[in-house]
Amino acid sequence: ILKHFFISFLPDFLVFSPHHPWHAVSGTGQLYLSVWSLGLIGLLVLIYKLLRPDSYQGKLTLKVRRWLINYLVKPAPTSLLLIYLLVISLAPAVVTTDAPHATRSLFFLWLFLVLAVYGAKAILERLKKDWLLWGQLGLVVVLLLEFFNYLPKLFVNYQKDQARLYQSTGFQEGLKQLEAKHKDQPIAVVDPGGYQYILLAWYLKLPPEVFLNQNKRQLPNNIGLRYGEQVKNYHFIVNPKDRNNAEKVLFYWDKDSWKIDD
């Protein structure tokens, strides 16, 4: 859990990779590099505000007492609250086996944007008055450059990658051909991911009672999930060699579309 917590802050997850291919555009993370950098600066600023030393007079016990009163109760409630929320916001994600997990870190990502504002504010406040406008313009330019660099990845690359990631191209059309030509015959479906049985039930419009009665599940895997193994006459396998002798028809994904081998 501690490992998952700390790697959730790394640029490998937040900037360069979604860690899970369904959770972001291919080749990108959850935040721009500039936002991630400003967020780390903002976090350091909050920690400094919370723990900064002050010049105290008197004995050590008096110093400790004043520190507790002044810095944990009175002047830093915002810093303390934000750091506390940041820590607990990762609770849903760090307990998962495939953490870091973007969709279970949404509140964490939003808080990171808040930290980025603190970071940008801290930097701009330290600029001389003559450089303040240039600093603001520079920050806007960097954000715009990253924004326009992201747009083609979202509207061009993602459209191409989506079909490959979800293996959706040709699946519905292939099912129509199988139902018309090989209805009720044993059919092997190559599905290493283990999710196509759900799409099959959807596209075939199976009534719930039929799906529940005829759906056979695999044994639980290492995290307890049970994927579909058999729905009607469709047998879901990991690779073509796993089909039995009665299954003469093979339905499989080939590079960019679903194909039928009969």
Side-chain angles (χ1 to χ4, degrees):
I1 288 176
L2 288 175
K3 175 187 174 184
H4 291 167
F5 177 83
F6 287 109
I7 63 178
S8 295
F9 288 85
L10 296 180
D12 181 55
F13 165 62
L14 288 178
V15 180
F16 302 115
S17 170
H19 193 71
H20 192 297
W22 294 357
H23 293 167
V25 174
S26 179
T28 68
Q30 319 303 324
L31 303 171
Y32 296 148
L33 179 60
S34 59
V35 174
W36 174 78
S37 303
L38 291 172
L40 288 186
I41 295 173
L43 179 59
L44 293 176
V45 169
L46 290 185
I47 294 175
Y48 173 76
K49 286 183 177 180
L50 188 64
L51 302 177
R52 65 187 177 192
D54 248 3
S55 57
Y56 291 120
Q57 302 294 329
K59 298 180 180 180
L60 179 62
T61 53
L62 181 59
K63 291 182 181 180
V64 173
R65 190 183 312 130
R66 285 183 176 178
W67 187 87
L68 289 173
I69 294 174
N70 291 335
Y71 292 96
L72 290 185
V73 180
K74 191 176 178 181
T78 302
S79 302
L80 185 61
L81 177 62
L82 283 175
I83 292 175
Y84 169 73
L85 291 176
L86 189 73
V87 171
I88 66 169
S89 67
L90 282 172
V94 296
V95 296
T96 61
T97 59
D98 54 347
H101 200 288
T103 60
R104 295 174 184 171
S105 306
L106 296 179
F107 188 43
F108 167 76
L109 296 175
W110 180 81
L111 286 171
F112 217 92
L113 296 179
V114 176
L115 294 180
V117 174
Y118 272 83
K121 182 174 180 288
I123 292 175
L124 294 175
E125 284 178 345
R126 282 159 178 77
L127 293 177
K128 294 182 179 179
K129 189 174 182 181
D130 296 339
W131 288 94
L132 181 59
L133 179 59
W134 290 107
Q136 293 171 335
L137 289 176
L139 182 60
V140 171
V141 168
V142 169
L143 289 174
L144 287 176
L145 288 175
E146 292 196 289
F147 172 73
F148 286 111
N149 179 57
Y150 178 77
L151 287 181
K153 295 179 181 179
L154 175 62
F155 292 107
V156 179
N157 298 352
Y158 179 68
Q159 304 304 317
K160 299 176 182 178
D161 293 339
Q162 187 180 33
R164 176 182 56 81
L165 289 174
Y166 293 98
Q167 295 190 353
S168 57
T169 304
F171 190 79
Q172 183 178 14
E173 294 75 11
L175 282 180
K176 290 181 180 179
Q177 296 180 34
L178 292 172
E179 287 292 293
K181 189 176 180 181
H182 302 287
K183 191 174 181 63
D184 298 328
Q185 294 182 25
I187 299 172
V189 183
V190 181
D191 177 30
Y195 299 103
Q196 298 300 133
Y197 77 101
I198 302 173
L199 286 180
L200 182 138
W202 173 264
Y203 287 130
L204 292 183
K205 297 180 173 60
L206 294 181
E209 61 274 11
V210 174
F211 177 74
L212 294 174
N213 291 331
Q214 297 187 8
N215 176 23
K216 297 179 182 178
R217 298 292 186 95
Q218 298 174 358
L219 293 175
N221 63 3
N222 61 322
I223 59 173
L225 293 179
R226 303 180 63 197
Y227 296 107
E229 181 178 352
Q230 183 88 28
V231 177
K232 290 184 60 181
N233 54 313
Y234 295 88
H235 178 211
F236 298 89
I237 57 179
V238 174
N239 60 68
K241 295 180 180 179
D242 295 334
R243 59 176 167 171
N244 58 49
N245 295 330
E247 295 165 350
K248 306 300 182 183
V249 181
L250 188 69
F251 192 32
Y252 63 99
W253 174 264
D254 183 28
K255 295 182 180 179
D256 58 0
S257 181
W258 283 87
K259 303 291 176 62
I260 298 174
D261 183 3
D262 53 2

